[in-house]
Amino acid sequence: MDQEKIRQAVSLLIEGIGEDGSREGLRETPERIARMYEEICGGYAQSPEEVLSKTFTVEHNEPVIVRDITFYSLCEHHMLPFFGKVHIAYIPNGKVVGLSKLARCVEVYARRLQIQENMTGQIADAIMEVLKPQGVMVVVEAEHLCMSMRGVQKPGSRTETYAVRGVFEQQPGMQNRFLQLLTKM
Ligand code: ZN
């Protein structure tokens, strides 16, 4: 990540808004924001292989459901936050991954400039490719500050997106059953 470019861009943005970048409260803002992006866009420096490669063998392929993984991302159209919960269900194929690793896989994709639909699909694809389960289903529910703060201004409205792969895609009955489990609260 090019911190110097981010600093310059933020200085220009402050100037463009018509603010005085030299006043006390703003003087260190470009530097602070450059450091912040290192963290909130840190997903570019990570890969799902890194976080999902440590697996455990299982004898029975019972479904695994992880609900309420909190995430924060930035919408690529406005660079404003969207945030909420990710719910994941998968049917293993002899291998499972530590539950915290699924949360880290979410971060790999959330900490980038995103749209919610793509993030949902990317999480599902990463789990399919690295863990190779029989199927995976990902549900994301989020509030978008670009909708709450500006434009249509609908605070509190939530957007839900879904991605289904493998057996969940092939068997609509199973898809419906797990959709109920993942969105029951
Ligand atoms: Zn937006």
Side-chain angles (χ1 to χ4, degrees), residues 48 52 88-90 97 102 105-106 109 121-133 135-138:
L52 293 177
I88 298 171
Y90 70 94
V97 73
L102 288 176
C105 176
V106 169
Y109 294 103
Q122 286 163 0
I123 294 166
D125 288 336
I127 294 168
M128 278 308 276
E129 276 161 35
V130 185
L131 194 59
K132 302 194 184 347
V136 64
M137 179 162 192
V138 178

Side-chain angles (χ1 to χ4, degrees), residues 71 73-77 80-87 109-110 112-124 138-147 157-163:
F71 78 94
S73 188
L74 288 175
C75 90
E76 65 187 24
H77 299 138
L80 283 173
F82 69 97
F83 54 93
K85 307 273 189 198
V86 179
H87 315 300
Y109 294 103
R112 299 178 184 203
L113 302 183
Q114 272 290 11
I115 67 169
Q116 185 179 332
E117 293 86 340
N118 288 344
M119 186 183 87
T120 310
Q122 286 163 0
I123 294 166
V138 178
V139 177
V140 178
E141 27 179 311
E143 178 176 352
H144 292 246
L145 288 192
C146 62
M147 278 174 73
S157 75
R158 300 208 301 184
T159 306
E160 285 198 5
T161 46
Y162 310 89

Side-chain angles (χ1 to χ4, degrees), residues 86-101:
V86 179
H87 315 300
I88 298 171
Y90 70 94
I91 314 285
N93 197 3
K95 285 191 301 183
V96 295
V97 73
L99 299 180
S100 67
K101 299 299 194 293

